[in-house]
Amino acid sequence: GHEILGEIESLGEGAPAGFQVGDRVTVDPLISCGVCEACRGGHRHVCKELKLLGIHENGGYAPYTVVDADMMVKIDPAVQDEVAALAEPFAVGYHVVSRSGLKVGQTALVIGAGPIGRVIAVTARSAGAAKVVVSEPNEARRALAERMGFETIDPAKEDALARVFELIGENGADVVFETSGSKPGILLTTSACKIHGTIVPLGLGGAPVEFCLGTVSFKEQRVVGSRVYPYLDFVGGVRLLERLAKATDLSPLVSDILPLAEAQKAIDSMSSGANTGKILLKCND
């Protein structure tokens, strides 16, 4: 419920200029306290008490949603609804790649080809990466990554590290994005990342994983955290999506579109692992 696309039905008194009824908008769902050290330092996206509309408060799983006007960002009407609905994940991808410091001509490894992993792969490629390789044991998800033009690794059937060296080069990747949260994925990061490379851990696996920091030290790697997005990166993600929608087939990111009444079916499909992409809920006919 925090990935919202809709049309403005009405505007409250004093709403800022630039919006009008009928505009199609997405929503920056972050709710910050405004008073903690992070917020006062201009980093409200890592607020000590951060909440999200649609997770901690009622959000997009409804025909109508009330949001502050300063949370809305308009999207080009030429972008189809099914693609425009991916604005929030692309804001995540935009911020992640920005945090990584990826430079034009560098190489990237994405571990995990879930929806966010594929978004990051697309974003890294658009940022100028010379090569982006995706590692994913799930056959269906791997096939979707290949459909989007990425070379892939099946870590369940081949030596993942050997394939990284084969596909990217014997020194490893300049940037490794770990989106799976799995133990094998996490343990692959330092070996697959080159000397002076960057590792960005994103997986939210619940169980702790033993991790040897010695390799990070010996190879002088950087480990960079990334959480949601500041407002300007949210807008940057929307603009990136608008540009990519004109030149790239983003449909493989969406696995299904269901009516709001079937929200539980969508959640069950994701929980069971049957779903391979984003499920969109259509709240209004």
Side-chain angles (χ1 to χ4, degrees):
H2 67 288
E3 301 173 13
I4 302 171
L5 177 74
E7 290 185 0
I8 297 176
E9 178 77 12
S10 63
L11 288 165
E13 185 177 346
F19 293 110
Q20 60 185 8
V21 171
D23 283 345
R24 190 177 59 159
V25 297
T26 186
V27 176
D28 175 353
L30 305 191
I31 303 170
S32 306
C33 74
V35 297
C36 71
E37 182 179 11
C39 285
R40 293 199 308 271
H43 308 294
R44 58 179 289 268
H45 65 295
V46 286
C47 168
K48 188 176 181 180
E49 305 294 336
L50 185 67
K51 297 180 180 178
L52 273 75
L53 190 73
I55 295 180
H56 303 94
E57 297 186 10
N58 291 337
Y61 287 176
Y64 296 95
T65 301
V66 178
V67 302
D68 290 339
D70 61 4
M71 300 170 77
M72 300 190 301
V73 177
K74 289 195 286 188
I75 297 186
D76 185 346
V79 181
Q80 293 182 332
D81 284 350
E82 292 77 6
V83 174
L86 302 173
E88 196 275 346
F90 268 87
V92 172
Y94 185 92
H95 182 57
V96 166
V97 173
S98 175
R99 288 283 293 161
S100 77
L102 178 73
K103 296 179 176 62
V104 173
Q106 290 188 325
T107 57
L109 170 67
V110 180
I111 301 174
I116 289 297
R118 295 200 300 277
V119 166
I120 290 171
V122 170
T123 306
R125 183 169 61 191
S126 73
K131 175 169 282 191
V132 181
V133 174
V134 179
S135 177
E136 170 59 57
N138 181 288
E139 182 177 355
R141 288 185 170 187
R142 197 169 59 254
L144 288 175
E146 292 170 356
R147 180 178 163 191
M148 300 186 78
F150 297 105
E151 291 183 284
T152 64
I153 297 169
D154 181 357
K157 295 182 179 179
E158 54 190 338
D159 184 326
L161 184 60
R163 282 290 286 163
V164 169
F165 293 156
E166 180 181 339
L167 295 173
I168 292 180
E170 64 181 8
N171 293 320
D174 290 291
V175 181
V176 176
F177 300 98
E178 207 302 303
T179 73
S180 74
S182 68
K183 182 176 180 178
I186 293 170
L187 295 180
L188 176 62
T189 57
T190 55
S191 300
C193 186
K194 67 167 47 177
I195 292 172
H196 276 216
T198 300
I199 299 166
V200 187
L202 295 159
L204 301 178
V209 174
E210 293 181 1
F211 184 80
C212 181
L213 284 174
T215 305
V216 174
S217 178
F218 270 53
K219 297 172 78 172
E220 288 199 344
Q221 296 167 331
R222 295 191 312 148
V223 179
V224 179
S226 183
R227 186 180 183 188
V228 286
Y229 32 70
Y231 178 76
L232 289 180
D233 280 0
F234 185 89
V235 176
V238 173
R239 302 300 170 239
L240 171 65
L241 177 64
E242 291 173 335
R243 294 194 300 273
L244 288 174
K246 298 176 181 178
T248 306
D249 179 14
L250 299 177
S251 62
L253 293 170
V254 177
S255 59
D256 211 346
I257 302 174
L258 300 174
L260 179 60
E262 296 185 21
Q264 189 59 54
K265 176 182 176 181
I267 293 170
D268 292 343
S269 176
M270 295 181 68
S271 298
S272 68
N275 172 56
T276 57
K278 282 289 183 184
I279 300 176
L280 307 184
L281 295 180
K282 192 171 183 181
C283 298
N284 286 314
D285 292 328

